[in-house]
Amino acid sequence: MAEIKSKLVEIKTKPTSANVKDFINNVKDEQKRKDSFVLLEMMKKATGEEPILWSSSIIGFGNKRYRSPATGREVDWLRIGFSPRKANLSLYLMVNIKEHAADLKKLGKHKTGVGCLYINKLDEIDLKVLKRMIDASLNQE
């Protein structure tokens, strides 16, 4: 089997020095703003890290280099994070969210993408299940 050489790819989404709390305080939707502060504290406690605003709208914790097994390309990315988007709260928990199928069944109202979990409001989900998923995501490394 041929060895895949890795190469670091520069992506547009990068850490900034912007103030995370100022960013959240400027979220127009009051429920998303409240939910964002809950997620902020939950992820801060789980990681033991301070939040960083990535690009203009993703709140991330930690830094990890991900390597694509298919292409060998590597990118620097956050360990976990979230973004209060207009449509929903987008949570970035792991590369393959489907690995958490059992917890997803118990979570409550949500949608998923490849590595994202989409939630409308935190009061529509079980926060204990979400905490378990966050912890499991951090332990995958």
Side-chain angles (χ1 to χ4, degrees):
M1 186 170 171
E3 183 180 326
I4 298 174
K5 293 189 184 216
S6 65
K7 55 187 172 196
L8 184 61
V9 177
E10 194 165 321
I11 58 176
K12 291 180 182 177
T13 305
K14 297 178 185 178
T16 70
S17 60
N19 186 293
V20 171
K21 288 185 179 178
D22 287 348
F23 167 72
I24 294 174
N25 280 322
N26 283 311
V27 171
K28 289 184 182 6
D29 182 287
E30 184 180 351
Q31 186 63 51
K32 276 195 184 61
R33 193 168 49 249
K34 288 179 182 177
D35 288 350
S36 292
F37 279 114
V38 171
L39 289 172
L40 182 77
E41 290 308 312
M42 187 183 283
M43 290 184 174
K44 190 174 177 178
K45 187 175 181 183
T47 62
E49 307 227 15
E50 289 298 315
I52 294 172
L53 189 66
W54 286 63
S55 198
S56 62
S57 64
I58 298 173
I59 298 163
F61 296 83
N63 195 330
K64 181 175 180 173
R65 184 161 290 175
Y66 286 101
R67 182 173 185 260
S68 167
T71 65
R73 293 182 350 160
E74 294 181 344
V75 299
D76 286 328
W77 192 243
L78 44 108
R79 288 176 67 205
I80 64 170
F82 70 96
S83 181
R85 305 276 186 204
K86 187 174 184 177
N88 49 39
L89 294 162
S90 300
L91 282 69
Y92 305 95
L93 297 180
M94 70 280 314
V95 176
N96 185 0
I97 202 154
K98 302 294 183 200
E99 292 175 15
H100 297 273
D103 278 334
L104 287 170
K105 287 179 184 173
K106 299 173 191 168
L107 182 63
K109 188 177 177 182
H110 71 278
K111 292 181 182 175
T112 60
V114 176
C116 293
L117 177 63
Y118 304 105
I119 297 168
N120 292 328
K121 295 181 249 176
L122 291 184
D123 64 5
E124 296 178 339
I125 64 162
D126 185 329
L127 290 178
K128 289 179 184 170
V129 174
L130 179 59
K131 183 184 179 326
R132 191 165 57 235
M133 292 175 70
I134 288 170
D135 291 343
S137 177
L138 292 168
N139 290 328
Q140 280 184 339
E141 302 178 342

